[in-house]
Amino acid sequence: MAVQVPSRQLFIDGEWREPILKKRLPIINPATEEIIGNIPAATAEDVELAVAAARRALSRNKGKDWATAPGSARAKYLRAIAAKVTERKTELAKLEAIDCGKPLDEAVWDIEDVAGCFEYYADLAEGLDAKQKAPVSLPMETFKSYVLKEPIGVVGLITPWNYPLLMATWKVAPSLAAGCAAILKPSELASITCLELAEVCREVGLPPGVLNILTGLGPEAGAPLASHPDVDKIAFTGSSATGSKIMAAAAQMVKPVSLELGGKSPIIVFEDVDLDKAAEWTAFGCFWTNGQICSATSRLIVHTGHTISGKHLKNGNQIQ
């Protein structure tokens, strides 16, 4: 799979910037264990620059450039990003495959979903305009009430390695659609395509500071981002242990968090199901993305009365 790994810096305030401490981390192809490049390693000093850039992006032109701009204006950028991702789909999929180790076909589908996600949130951004200042009916005519939807502010987004660009997009796209400014910290194990998202944003002219991307280690880049007083919310997908630390850090400032943490997702087999199909889809779910997925169907909850491998299930109806 011939593809050149670009050499990138941190993406801060619409520009590529070398980490202040000039640190970099190797990129290891999990299929061959070969070093195929390197990524910049952000530290607390770089987090300070990114947060400052994000806050400037929200206040620029009294917010009219982004935070209080019409949703339709933000939607244009989201659609431009989607178009550019689609244009680079083959290249991005190859980079994803050699970075996180998933089969190329699955990586292609992921990149297609990335473009679709930006399109989806572009539609929602446009829909926000019609919902602004929606009146709320009150029993007393002397009072007026309406709903005003506002961005929460600067958001820190910390994402995992198994769906590097797609899971980042699940957080980036809604943040931008809502009018927030974002700082993305992808997993140090798979950051290539997230840095390419920065290049896409630069090419489409996304306003400086609206999206900043910091690669690096969790303790050195993720922790200072999660605990920064000028970050208004943290969204994290990853392990329960790290999620607990993020929640504890956010609690010191009563900062809202969104956490999607580890678990063991079951497949539920009801009484009237076709068991052959259930077995087929269970196997599919177990081995999709090589099993490295939060919704892997590696645990079954089966309706009492089914016969599995010659055993009639009565009360003990969980199969590991």
Side-chain angles (χ1 to χ4, degrees), residues 60-100:
R60 189 179 295 120
N61 196 17
K62 297 183 179 180
K64 294 178 182 178
D65 285 2
W66 191 255
T68 62
S72 57
R74 297 192 294 272
K76 290 179 181 178
Y77 288 106
L78 296 179
R79 290 203 173 92
I81 292 170
K84 187 66 70 172
V85 166
T86 299
E87 180 184 310
R88 296 184 56 188
K89 177 177 70 174
T90 300
E91 175 200 0
L92 291 172
K94 288 180 179 180
L95 291 171
E96 199 80 294
I98 65 172
D99 198 18
C100 75

Side-chain angles (χ1 to χ4, degrees), residues 269-281 306:
V269 183
F270 289 100
E271 184 178 24
D272 58 348
V273 77
D274 182 324
L275 285 182
D276 289 336
K277 285 187 177 180
E280 178 184 352
W281 283 106
H306 269 313

Side-chain angles (χ1 to χ4, degrees), residues 129-309:
D129 292 340
K131 296 178 180 178
Q132 290 291 36
K133 296 189 177 181
V136 177
S137 178
L138 295 176
M140 298 178 64
E141 293 184 0
T142 53
F143 294 95
K144 301 292 183 183
S145 179
Y146 60 87
V147 176
L148 180 63
K149 296 182 181 292
E150 298 178 332
I152 196 169
V154 173
V155 292
L157 314 174
I158 305 175
T159 53
W161 60 267
N162 56 338
Y163 284 82
L165 186 54
L166 182 56
M167 283 197 142
T169 298
W170 288 355
K171 290 176 170 37
V172 169
S175 299
L176 302 191
C180 295
I183 302 159
L184 171 64
K185 209 300 281 184
S187 168
E188 64 275 13
L189 299 177
S191 298
I192 296 176
T193 51
C194 288
L195 288 172
E196 292 312 293
L197 175 61
E199 177 63 13
V200 166
C201 291
R202 192 187 66 81
E203 290 177 358
V204 304
L206 190 71
V210 166
L211 177 61
N212 307 273
I213 300 181
L214 304 179
T215 53
L217 299 174
E220 295 181 2
L225 178 62
S227 62
H228 200 290
D230 288 332
V231 174
D232 300 298
K233 179 180 178 177
I234 294 291
F236 169 78
T237 298
S239 71
S240 297
T242 303
S244 175
K245 293 177 182 177
I246 288 173
M247 179 176 278
Q252 305 306 310
M253 294 162 281
V254 199
K255 180 186 301 185
V257 296
S258 296
L259 303 176
E260 182 186 358
L261 308 180
K264 191 168 175 63
S265 304
I267 186 167
I268 302 174
V269 183
F270 289 100
E271 184 178 24
D272 58 348
V273 77
D274 182 324
L275 285 182
D276 289 336
K277 285 187 177 180
E280 178 184 352
W281 283 106
T282 299
F284 176 87
C286 279
F287 295 101
W288 181 254
T289 312
N290 302 335
Q292 302 289 351
I293 184 173
C294 55
S295 54
T297 51
S298 53
R299 180 164 65 101
L300 287 85
I301 298 177
V302 183
H303 190 279
T304 299
H306 269 313
T307 300
I308 304 290
S309 299

